[in-house]
Amino acid sequence: MPLFPDNQRTISEPVSCQGVGLHSGVSVNLRLWPAPADHGIVFVRTDTPRQVSIPALSEYVVDTSLATTLGKDGVKIGTVEHLLSALAGLGIDNVRVELDGPEVPVMDGSADHFVQMVTGAGVRELEKRRSYLVIKKPVTVTEGDKEATISPARRFRISCTIDFKHPLISSQSFELEMSERCFSGEIARARTFGFLRDVERMKKLGLGRGGSLDNAIVVDESSILNPDGLRFPDEFVRHKILDAVGDVSLFGRPVIGHLNAFKTGHALNHKLVQKVLSDPSSYELVQGRPSEMERAEVRLPELPGGRDLEPLVA
């Protein structure tokens, strides 16, 4: 995928999967459909009396306690972040997501299955220019010792640090410049994780009903309970980046900026997106000519409306 694709993209043909929801434990059928330009990523519950379309935009986030949940008109769809991360990581702008349950299936706890679905379906370029949300000034949100900042950059970069004060998950940091190859190879296979003590507590509260060693890394006080161990030595921080990619995709457009996440989660990621969108001076919506941008190596935030970027009129 070019660094800045010229046009919007969708999948070439429908593709489906079946799995259980991580928290609901409900078996769900999920189907991705190609969608036209400017459609965006839109979720539709097919099991409700009236089909409600829920755009993957921050304004429809209704819960961020244990996952990112979207809702509209009383209809909710939970744990959307892994699928959104896969779509964003592969540069997919427009898809209709149909599912017959309350939660996106967790699959193996990573975004890898969704990546395989998209690559299997194929990618189709649409005849409409792609737009970007370009960060123009630093924006920061904090909560205790947690902090998330997004600042101007030439490309979409993520720096992430976690620290769980645990012998197996101490301080871990990872940084990458987003591309389709980097996302697929370095991030997509990183699984969600939890502590055994928290898993037991969640199940008493009626949550985590679909969780197992097949779809999550589970850690007790001194060991990893999964027989096959980790996929990466720092799989924990890589999964936090996976989550962040999905959460910031709720801007509704691909971002050009540097996200620096310190001990963040879904709630703080969402607050950052909200704070950026609440201040029009912090960003600009632009269209770009990829070949010219890459050849000139421009500093994108400094050239809104220049020869390589065109401000959007709507």
Side-chain angles (χ1 to χ4, degrees), residues 141-157:
V141 292
T142 60
E143 184 179 287
D145 63 344
K146 302 174 183 178
E147 180 176 291
T149 297
I150 193 161
S151 54
R154 289 186 54 250
R155 302 169 184 177
F156 182 35
R157 294 173 55 214

Side-chain angles (χ1 to χ4, degrees), residues 3 154-158 174-180 182-183:
L3 183 58
R154 289 186 54 250
R155 302 169 184 177
F156 182 35
R157 294 173 55 214
I158 301 181
F174 198 85
E175 180 171 313
L176 77 157
E177 190 169 276
M178 188 60 63
S179 69
E180 181 177 334
C182 186
F183 180 84

Side-chain angles (χ1 to χ4, degrees), residues 191-223:
R191 295 161 294 172
T192 192
F193 60 94
F195 298 98
L196 182 61
R197 61 179 183 271
D198 294 332
V199 171
E200 293 170 343
R201 178 177 56 83
M202 283 193 300
K203 291 194 173 181
K204 288 180 181 178
L205 295 173
L207 301 170
R209 294 175 176 175
S212 72
L213 295 180
D214 293 326
N215 55 38
I217 304 168
V218 180
V219 183
D220 65 13
E221 296 305 318
S222 60
S223 63

Side-chain angles (χ1 to χ4, degrees), residues 16-288:
S16 61
C17 70
Q18 185 274 333
V20 300
L22 176 62
H23 295 296
S24 64
V26 173
S27 178
V28 179
N29 293 289
L30 180 145
R31 192 169 184 85
L32 306 181
W33 293 89
D38 295 333
H39 177 278
I41 310 300
V42 178
F43 290 84
V44 180
R45 286 273 300 271
T46 60
D47 62 319
T48 55
R50 182 171 62 89
Q51 291 190 4
V52 177
S53 297
I54 309 176
L57 298 172
S58 65
E59 64 193 271
Y60 295 102
V61 173
V62 295
D63 190 13
T64 55
S65 53
L66 291 172
T68 297
T69 299
L70 302 178
K72 180 183 174 185
D73 297 339
V75 176
K76 296 181 181 180
I77 298 173
T79 320
V80 298
E81 61 271 14
H82 299 171
L83 173 58
L84 290 179
S85 187
L87 295 174
L90 297 180
I92 303 299
D93 305 284
N94 305 288
V95 166
R96 176 183 170 92
V97 183
E98 292 185 353
L99 62 167
D100 62 359
E103 190 177 11
V104 174
V106 67
M107 309 314 291
D108 71 347
S110 75
D112 188 53
H113 190 88
F114 301 126
V115 167
Q116 299 305 319
M117 288 175 66
V118 170
T119 55
V123 176
R124 178 163 58 91
E125 188 173 283
L126 303 170
E127 305 216 350
K128 184 71 180 287
R129 293 277 292 283
R130 200 179 202 217
S131 61
Y132 296 83
L133 190 145
V134 179
I135 300 298
K136 296 174 64 178
K137 68 180 185 181
V139 177
T140 298
V141 292
T142 60
E143 184 179 287
D145 63 344
K146 302 174 183 178
E147 180 176 291
T149 297
I150 193 161
S151 54
R154 289 186 54 250
R155 302 169 184 177
F156 182 35
R157 294 173 55 214
I158 301 181
S159 304
C160 184
T161 296
I162 62 172
D163 187 358
F164 283 90
K165 307 300 182 184
H166 186 280
L168 296 177
I169 319 176
S170 56
S171 180
Q172 294 184 358
S173 297
F174 198 85
E175 180 171 313
L176 77 157
E177 190 169 276
M178 188 60 63
S179 69
E180 181 177 334
R181 177 178 295 180
C182 186
F183 180 84
S184 298
E186 303 293 336
I187 301 300
R189 295 182 64 248
R191 295 161 294 172
T192 192
F193 60 94
F195 298 98
L196 182 61
R197 61 179 183 271
D198 294 332
V199 171
E200 293 170 343
R201 178 177 56 83
M202 283 193 300
K203 291 194 173 181
K204 288 180 181 178
L205 295 173
L207 301 170
R209 294 175 176 175
S212 72
L213 295 180
D214 293 326
N215 55 38
I217 304 168
V218 180
V219 183
D220 65 13
E221 296 305 318
S222 60
S223 63
I224 294 168
L225 302 185
N226 304 66
D228 295 332
L230 299 176
R231 294 176 176 176
F232 306 96
D234 53 359
E235 187 169 358
F236 305 103
V237 69
R238 292 181 192 235
H239 185 79
K240 285 293 186 178
I241 289 179
L242 186 158
D243 281 344
V245 171
D247 288 338
V248 301
S249 76
L250 293 169
F251 275 122
R253 289 179 171 87
V255 180
I256 297 176
H258 180 197
L259 173 63
N260 198 317
F262 179 74
K263 298 176 66 173
T264 64
H266 300 299
L268 204 60
N269 294 338
H270 177 53
K271 287 180 181 178
L272 180 64
V273 171
Q274 285 184 308
K275 188 171 182 179
V276 170
L277 293 177
S278 70
D279 179 7
S281 69
S282 68
Y283 69 94
E284 183 160 5
L285 303 180
V286 300
Q287 289 181 326

